[in-house]
């Protein structure tokens, strides 16, 4: 027997329940059901009578309901849940006693106050017992009914409550753009439906079905089509609303043929909700093409939601949806330092470290034991693989690094099984020549430096090296089969500092900065920003509009008192400490649905931006601070774009500061008293062979003007300079130039560029 799909709204009076329930019902297409009005209409008096009447209605008309109200007492809830059905949700509007009483006084007429205070009193009598019962169920959810204060700002607060509720009611909806590879799209979407349980909704087909049914909505659509017009987006959205919400068990959808245009996406998200993601089917070897106007691909690329599909592998699609765990393995022969590098990666880049030492194995034996405090006798490789496979299936959005493969994981099939715990993201292979391997072995074993390697030691190292080569072969097979897994190679025959720098280049972000040092009209600003959105989309970079990000989080940032007093635009990044800005940027990047090693920051560095600054603002914060914090928080800066109207001085030409050397006093004679001068080759602390510091042995410069971003970057990073002069008619030169820079990065990853983009006034006809 079909049953009703019910969402109860439970809470004290004067918490916007009725308004929110009506709006949620409107957005989902559910039936709005006011419980108090129903009881009055059926003239139910006793608790039993109320409950019977309610269940009769739901049995007679099993629809989708948003019920404004809830059962008064625990006993009623027990009967309803156990003898009729459990609801989809019970949404509890949480609010303090003081807040509710204030709302009743300020949001009620004189006639309503007495009634609402009485209802609130009855609510409080039964609340604790009823809440204790409801909290046992997964369908019980709580929303903050205070928000910004209903009595002070009803509309904004109630909208935030609605937004909170819709966040767990809305389905997953992805929109597929199929026109660039229709053959792949057809096969892929069929696999997504049959294997992953998504429902494919083709809008043109839905409209045709609605026309054939002859429904009022279908007739309205027919009128537009018969007159040669396109069905309005609003009408298509109302048809979609019915399909998206009618079956609570079906909450995953792929849409095609609508929305397709940028404005259609905007209308869709305004009337329904933000889409989960955009699926962009492209042919192998193709990338996002340049567009002089904003389009869905560019928009969702900037939001980290443009999922590019170029083959039939469902892995990227599943990874996008589940945010499944990301992990890698550090491998290498004995004495290569793989444990050192695994620990470094863990500490520097936030990976959870998993080791295979004696302590770790003991802990794993305890976890696998069914008896608390005891260990299993033998830990086998299949047990290890099963444990971590189960563990990773229940963990999302976390990063792990394995210090090598577990004990006994040597055969090809075992290595592939371990790499398939979920889907390995990377493997780092540590290389080391035999001579350095022997040197490290002697140091670790505390052997004499002149001691020769024994035949037994040589044999052990050769055997270990061969075993490592076999492991590496299987890793290479896996990487060839899994395009999302990267194999990195690190030669560790150099110093530890050099090796760590190389690791930083592998795991750190590559950062591209676009700093706006010109006062631009909004149209020019947006056109220029679109160029960089194009760059990020083509090269699959994470795009961050830093000023926009601050604007979205401005209230929290200003409440944290991180902002300085200023005449500048209050949302300018330079109004906040570089640490605060980078913390916000890093959090935003980490939460993007699609992760990228490359990050493009639009509107940063900000310290040199023009504006009406006071004298003390000239030096806070300095561009030096911002540049340093970018590299400390994210990774190496590869390109710094300075967008200016006037040439920006990138050279440091401070005047020389000549110090006048004072006359040297005559040497002290014996018996003069005082402290004894240190002898040549020593200092006052008694250290020998350390010359004393002499200020006159150095060249000095002096300046009262802080160095700008370009001067600091050129001095510290010593990048290759690039100079471009463009107008708003030739902004694409920046895009084309970046392609050239990318090509040079591929040939030499150590290159860094400083690009000064000087804006010229366009030539008008």
């Amino acid at each position: 027997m079909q049953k009703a799909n019910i969402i109860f709204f439970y809470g004290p009076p004067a918490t916007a329940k009725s308004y929110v329930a009506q709006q949620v019902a409107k957005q989902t297409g559910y039936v709005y059901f006011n419980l108090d009005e129903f009881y009055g209409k059926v003239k139910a008096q006793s608790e039993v009578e109320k409950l019977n009447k309610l269940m009769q209605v739901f049995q007679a008309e099993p629809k989708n309901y948003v019920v404004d109200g809830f059962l008064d007492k625990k006993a009623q809830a027990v009967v309803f849940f156990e003898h009729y059905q459990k609801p989809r949700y019970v949404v509890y509007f949480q609010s303090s006693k003081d807040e509710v009483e204030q709302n009743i006084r300020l949001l009620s007429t004189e006639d309503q106050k007495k009634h609402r205070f009485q209802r609130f009193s009855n609510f409080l009598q039964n609340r604790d017992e009823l809440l204790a019962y409801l909290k046992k169920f997964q369908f019980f959810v709580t929303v903050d009914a205070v928000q910004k204060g209903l009595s002070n700002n009803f509309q904004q607060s109630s909208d935030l409550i609605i937004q909170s509720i819709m966040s767990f009611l809305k389905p997953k909806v992805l929109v597929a753009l199929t026109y660039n590879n229709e053959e792949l799209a057809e096969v892929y979407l069929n696999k997504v439906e049959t294997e992953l349980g998504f429902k494919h909704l083709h809008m043109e087909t839905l409209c045709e079905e609605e026309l054939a049914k002859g429904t009022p909505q279908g007739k309205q659509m027919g009128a537009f089509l018969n007159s040669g017009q396109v069905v309005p987006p609003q009408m298509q959205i109302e048809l979609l609303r019915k399909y998206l919400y009618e079956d609570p068990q079906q909450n995953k959808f792929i849409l095609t043929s609508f929305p397709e245009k940028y404005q259609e996406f905007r209308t869709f998200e305004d009337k329904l909700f933000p889409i989960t993601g955009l699926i962009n089917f492209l042919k192998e070897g193709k990338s996002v093409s340049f567009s002089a106007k904003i389009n869905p691909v560019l928009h969702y690329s900037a939001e980290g939601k443009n999922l590019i599909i170029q083959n039939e592998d469902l892995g990227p699609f599943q990874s996008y949806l589940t945010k499944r765990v990301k992990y890698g393995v550090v491998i290498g022969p004995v004495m290569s330092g793989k444990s050192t590098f695994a620990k470094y990666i863990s500490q520097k880049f936030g990976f959870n470290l998993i080791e295979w030492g004696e302590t770790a194995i003991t802990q794993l034996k305890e976890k696998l034991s069914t008896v608390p405090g005891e260990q299993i006798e033998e830990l086998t490789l299949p047990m290890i693989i099963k444990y971590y496979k189960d563990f990773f299936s229940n963990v999302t959005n976390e990063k792990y690094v394995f210090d090598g493969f577990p004990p006994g994981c040597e055969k090809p099939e075992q290595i592939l099984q371990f790499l398939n715990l979920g889907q390995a993201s990377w493997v780092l292979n540590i290389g080391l020549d035999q001579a350095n391997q022997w040197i490290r072995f002697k140091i670790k074993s505390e052997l004499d430096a002149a001691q020769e390697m024994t035949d037994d030691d040589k044999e052990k190292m050769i055997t270990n090296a061969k075993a490592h080569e076999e492991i590496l072969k299987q890793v290479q097979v896996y990487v060839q089969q899994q395009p999302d897994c990267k194999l990195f190679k690190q030669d560790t025959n150099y110093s530890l500092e050099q090796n760590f720098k190389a690791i930083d280049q592998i795991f750190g972000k590559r950062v591209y900065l676009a700093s706006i040092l010109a006062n631009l009209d909004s149209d020019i600003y947006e056109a220029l920003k679109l160029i960089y959105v194009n760059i990020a989309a083509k090269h699959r970079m994470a795009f961050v509009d830093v000023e926009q990000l601050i604007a979205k989080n401005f209230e929290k940032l200003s409440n944290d008192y991180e902002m300085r007093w200023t005449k500048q635009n209050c949302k300018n990044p330079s109004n906040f400490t570089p640490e605060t800005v980078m913390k916000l940027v890093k959090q935003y990047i980490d939460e993007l649905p699609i992760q990228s090693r490359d990050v493009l920051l639009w509107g940063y560095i900000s310290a040199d931006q023009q504006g009406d600054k006071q004298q003390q603002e000239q030096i806070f914060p300095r561009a030096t601070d911002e540049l340093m914090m970018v590299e400390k928080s994210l990774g190496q800066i590869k390109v710094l774009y300075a967008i200016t109207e006037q040439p920006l001085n990138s050279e440091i030409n401070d005047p020389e500061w000549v110090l006048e050397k004072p006359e040297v006093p005559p040497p002290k004679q014996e018996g003069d008293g005082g402290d004894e001068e240190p002898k040549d080759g020593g200092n006052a602390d008694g250290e020998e062979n350390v010359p004393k510091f002499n200020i006159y042995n150095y060249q000095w410069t002096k300046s009262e003007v802080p160095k700008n971003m370009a001067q600091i970057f050129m001095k510290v990073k010593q990048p290759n300079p690039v100079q471009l002069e463009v107008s708003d008619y030739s902004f694409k030169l920046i895009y084309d130039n970046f392609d050239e820079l990318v090509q040079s990065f591929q040939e030499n990853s150590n290159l860094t560029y400083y690009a000064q983009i000087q804006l010229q006034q366009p030539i008008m006809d």
Side-chain angles (χ1 to χ4, degrees):
M1 181 179 71
Q2 184 180 356
K3 291 188 176 182
N5 170 40
I6 305 166
I7 301 172
F8 284 109
F9 281 14
Y10 171 52
T15 50
K17 284 196 315 301
S18 296
Y19 174 77
V20 170
Q22 290 168 359
Q23 295 305 308
V24 170
K26 184 178 179 181
Q27 290 190 34
T28 57
Y30 282 24
V31 176
Y32 171 72
F33 189 98
N34 187 295
L35 200 55
D36 287 341
E37 290 181 1
F38 170 74
Y39 288 154
K41 189 181 296 183
V42 299
K43 298 179 180 179
Q45 300 297 324
S46 68
E47 294 178 3
V48 174
E49 189 178 2
K50 288 179 180 180
L51 193 57
N52 287 335
K53 293 285 187 182
L54 185 63
M55 289 192 290
Q56 287 171 12
V57 169
F58 291 151
Q59 287 173 338
E61 298 183 69
K63 300 177 181 179
N64 294 327
Y65 293 95
V66 172
V67 179
D68 179 7
F70 188 57
L71 308 167
D72 294 329
K73 297 181 179 180
K74 173 188 172 182
Q76 292 176 297
V78 171
V79 172
F80 189 91
F81 294 170
E82 295 184 3
H83 296 283
Y84 177 58
Q85 72 170 79
K86 291 181 174 62
R88 183 180 179 190
Y89 288 110
V90 175
V91 182
Y92 177 60
F93 284 58
Q94 186 169 354
S95 184
S96 68
K97 184 174 182 290
D98 291 343
E99 186 76 20
V100 173
E101 290 177 346
Q102 177 176 290
N103 291 344
I104 292 175
R105 285 192 294 269
L106 297 177
L107 299 175
S108 308
T109 64
E110 289 301 321
D111 293 338
Q112 290 174 329
K113 285 181 182 177
K114 183 177 180 180
H115 176 63
R116 286 184 170 177
F117 273 119
Q118 182 58 51
R119 284 177 54 203
F120 186 39
S121 177
N122 294 337
F123 168 83
L124 291 176
Q125 288 177 11
N126 300 301
R127 180 190 61 182
D128 292 346
E129 184 182 26
L130 190 49
L131 279 181
Y133 174 67
L134 290 173
K135 287 178 180 178
K136 299 176 182 178
F137 299 101
Q138 290 185 344
F139 57 69
F140 177 76
V141 293
T142 300
V143 295
D144 178 8
V146 177
Q147 298 292 344
K148 295 181 178 295
L150 282 168
S151 58
N152 298 321
N153 196 328
F154 180 87
Q155 191 62 54
Q156 190 174 6
S157 291
S158 55
D159 286 348
L160 288 171
I161 298 171
I162 293 167
Q163 183 180 334
S164 175
I165 293 171
M166 291 304 298
S167 68
F168 55 79
L169 288 181
K170 69 180 182 183
K172 283 187 175 71
V173 174
L174 293 98
V175 180
L177 301 181
T178 63
Y179 45 79
N180 286 318
N181 195 339
E182 292 184 350
E183 185 178 343
L184 173 62
E186 183 179 357
V187 175
Y188 202 91
L189 294 179
N190 182 59
K191 289 178 69 175
V192 168
E193 275 199 291
T194 56
E195 297 181 29
L196 302 180
F198 276 76
K199 187 171 184 178
H200 178 196
L201 299 178
H202 186 66
M203 196 63 211
E204 290 181 4
T205 303
L206 297 183
C207 290
E208 291 170 0
E209 291 175 353
E210 203 69 15
L211 280 169
K213 292 176 184 176
T215 64
Q217 199 170 15
K219 290 177 181 178
Q220 286 181 318
M221 292 178 176
F224 281 96
L225 294 173
N226 292 334
S227 62
Q229 300 180 62
V230 177
V231 177
Q234 180 62 44
M235 199 171 288
Q236 297 186 63
I237 286 169
E238 290 309 312
L239 178 59
L240 274 175
R241 191 191 303 276
K242 180 176 70 174
Y243 284 93
L244 295 177
Y245 286 109
E246 68 177 351
D247 181 5
Q249 303 304 316
Q250 179 63 57
N251 62 354
K252 300 186 295 185
F253 299 90
I254 303 284
L255 308 184
T256 52
S257 81
F258 179 87
E260 285 187 328
K261 298 177 181 178
Y262 176 70
Q263 194 53 49
E264 290 175 345
F265 277 92
R266 302 275 53 76
T267 304
F268 179 96
E269 295 198 341
D270 181 54
K271 299 298 181 182
L272 288 172
F273 45 77
I275 66 169
T276 307
L278 184 74
I279 307 175
N280 189 6
F281 289 99
L282 296 179
K283 293 184 178 178
E284 291 280 2
K286 296 293 183 181
S287 60
V288 174
S289 56
F290 177 84
S291 173
K293 293 183 178 180
I294 190 68
N295 59 36
V297 171
L298 293 182
H299 175 79
Y300 291 108
S301 291
E303 292 189 351
K305 288 184 175 182
N306 179 36
L307 179 62
I308 295 176
I309 299 297
Q310 295 178 299
N311 56 54
E312 295 181 19
D313 180 20
L314 291 178
F317 183 86
Q318 292 174 294
S319 180
Y320 177 88
L321 288 175
T322 60
K323 293 184 179 179
R324 62 190 180 192
V325 64
K326 293 179 174 60
Y327 66 94
V329 187
V330 181
I331 63 174
V334 65
M335 296 298 157
S336 62
K338 64 181 180 64
S339 296
T340 299
F341 293 115
K343 289 175 182 175
Y344 180 77
I345 292 167
S346 170
Q347 294 168 0
K348 180 73 182 284
F349 302 103
F351 284 79
N352 297 290
L353 177 63
I354 300 177
E355 302 174 284
W356 304 114
E358 185 177 340
T359 302
I361 294 297
T362 299
Q363 290 174 347
L364 197 51
K365 285 182 176 181
E366 290 176 353
K367 289 178 181 179
L368 292 174
S369 174
T370 56
V371 181
E374 295 188 10
Q375 302 177 20
I376 58 173
E377 291 185 7
E378 183 182 6
L379 181 64
T380 63
L381 181 62
M383 294 167 70
I384 294 174
I385 291 174
K386 183 180 185 306
Y387 172 80
Y388 280 105
K389 196 175 187 69
D390 294 342
F391 177 71
F392 283 170
S393 66
N394 294 312
V395 177
T396 60
N397 219 22
E398 288 286 344
K399 300 187 297 184
Y400 292 85
V401 53
F402 286 100
D403 179 8
F405 289 106
C409 190
E410 300 167 351
K411 297 179 180 178
E413 63 274 14
Q414 293 171 333
I415 293 168
L416 294 178
Q417 281 180 352
F418 189 80
L419 289 172
N420 278 310
L421 293 172
Q423 181 179 326
S425 303
W426 54 269
V427 177
L428 175 63
N429 179 47
I430 306 297
L432 182 69
D433 63 34
Q434 194 176 70
N436 280 315
Q437 192 177 23
W438 175 235
I439 291 171
R440 293 183 187 181
F441 177 79
K442 286 194 289 185
I443 293 172
K444 187 171 183 179
S445 304
E446 299 181 350
L447 300 178
D448 188 88
Q451 187 171 339
E452 293 293 329
M453 185 185 295
T454 66
D455 291 340
D456 286 345
D457 289 334
K458 284 182 181 179
E459 185 62 33
K460 287 178 182 178
M461 288 191 177
I462 291 172
T463 302
N464 180 267
K466 288 181 178 179
H468 173 69
E469 288 299 320
E470 291 301 314
I471 289 174
L472 182 59
K473 286 179 183 178
Q474 296 309 312
V475 169
Q476 290 170 332
V477 170
Y478 177 84
V479 170
Q480 289 172 354
Q481 296 171 348
Q482 302 290 345
D484 287 338
C485 182
K486 306 296 182 185
L487 174 59
F488 301 111
K489 297 179 181 179
Q490 177 59 38
D491 181 356
T492 61
N493 290 299
Y494 305 103
S495 70
L496 193 60
E497 183 181 0
Q498 287 176 298
N499 288 323
F500 283 163
K501 285 182 178 179
I503 296 294
D504 289 346
Q505 289 190 356
I506 293 174
F507 291 95
K509 300 288 187 184
R510 294 180 298 207
V511 186
Y512 309 82
L513 303 175
S515 182
I516 319 299
L517 306 180
N519 293 317
L520 306 177
D521 293 337
S522 59
D523 290 345
I524 300 296
Y525 179 90
E526 291 300 328
L528 194 55
K529 176 182 173 180
L530 185 60
I531 293 295
Y532 285 93
V533 171
N534 269 281
I535 288 172
K538 179 175 181 178
H539 298 285
R540 304 194 189 188
M541 299 176 175
F543 180 88
V544 185
D545 184 333
V546 179
E547 187 169 315
Q548 188 179 78
L549 184 63
I550 287 174
K552 287 181 179 178
N553 295 272
F554 182 72
E555 185 174 342
K556 180 183 183 303
L557 290 175
S558 54
N559 287 341
D560 289 345
Y561 205 68
E562 297 283 1
M563 184 180 172
R564 64 183 174 128
W565 191 91
T566 178
K567 287 185 178 181
Q568 286 281 81
N569 166 19
C570 61
K571 297 177 178 63
N572 188 302
S574 68
N575 294 331
F576 301 89
T577 64
E579 292 89 347
T580 299
V581 176
M582 282 300 103
K583 181 179 178 182
L584 191 63
V585 168
K586 193 172 186 306
Q587 180 182 354
Y588 174 79
I589 292 171
D590 289 343
E591 292 174 355
L592 287 174
I594 297 176
Q595 294 290 302
S596 173
R597 185 184 174 193
D598 297 293
V599 179
L600 197 161
L601 301 186
W602 168 255
Y604 208 70
I605 303 299
S606 63
D608 293 335
Q609 290 183 1
Q610 296 181 10
D612 181 16
K613 296 185 179 181
Q614 301 179 77
Q615 183 61 35
Q616 64 265 34
E617 290 185 271
Q618 299 294 333
I619 58 171
F620 184 92
R622 293 178 291 270
T624 318
D625 304 327
E626 294 183 328
L627 289 166
M628 179 198 71
M629 193 52 60
V630 167
E631 293 214 331
K632 183 178 179 181
S633 303
L634 299 179
Q636 289 194 346
I637 300 170
K638 301 302 294 180
V639 181
L640 171 58
Y641 282 99
I643 301 168
T644 70
E645 292 174 309
Q646 301 297 328
L648 186 65
N649 181 25
S650 60
E651 296 182 1
I652 298 176
N653 296 311
D654 290 339
E656 185 179 356
W657 184 19
V658 180
L659 300 179
E660 294 184 8
K661 194 171 183 179
E663 294 183 7
V664 180
K668 291 184 178 182
Q669 301 296 321
E670 290 187 15
D672 285 347
D675 295 334
E676 185 179 349
E677 286 287 320
K679 298 177 181 179
D680 291 342
N683 61 20
D685 294 325
E687 297 177 0
E688 296 184 358
N689 301 319
V690 179
K692 292 192 298 181
F693 172 75
N694 190 338
I695 193 173
Y696 305 104
N697 291 341
Y698 297 88
Q699 290 183 326
W700 298 87
T701 59
K702 60 180 178 179
S703 175
E704 296 179 353
V705 179
K707 303 301 177 286
N708 65 35
M709 170 187 70
Q711 291 169 323
I712 295 297
F713 194 70
M714 290 294 289
K715 180 71 174 178
V716 176
K717 302 289 288 186
Q718 299 181 348
N720 295 319
V722 176
Q723 182 77 32
L724 290 178
E725 294 185 1
V726 300
S727 72
D728 58 336
Y729 293 157
S730 60
F731 280 172
K732 191 173 181 291
L733 285 174
I734 303 171
Y735 176 88
D736 294 335
N737 173 259
F738 189 84
D739 278 346
E740 296 177 10
L741 300 188
V742 169
Q743 182 63 37
S744 66
F745 292 149
Q746 292 172 347
E747 295 171 359
N748 185 351
S749 61
N750 293 319
L751 287 177
T752 303
Y753 286 91
Y754 167 70
Q756 187 170 149
I757 312 296
Q758 189 174 340
L759 302 180
Q760 303 293 320
Q761 292 296 323
I763 300 173
M764 306 299 292
D765 294 334

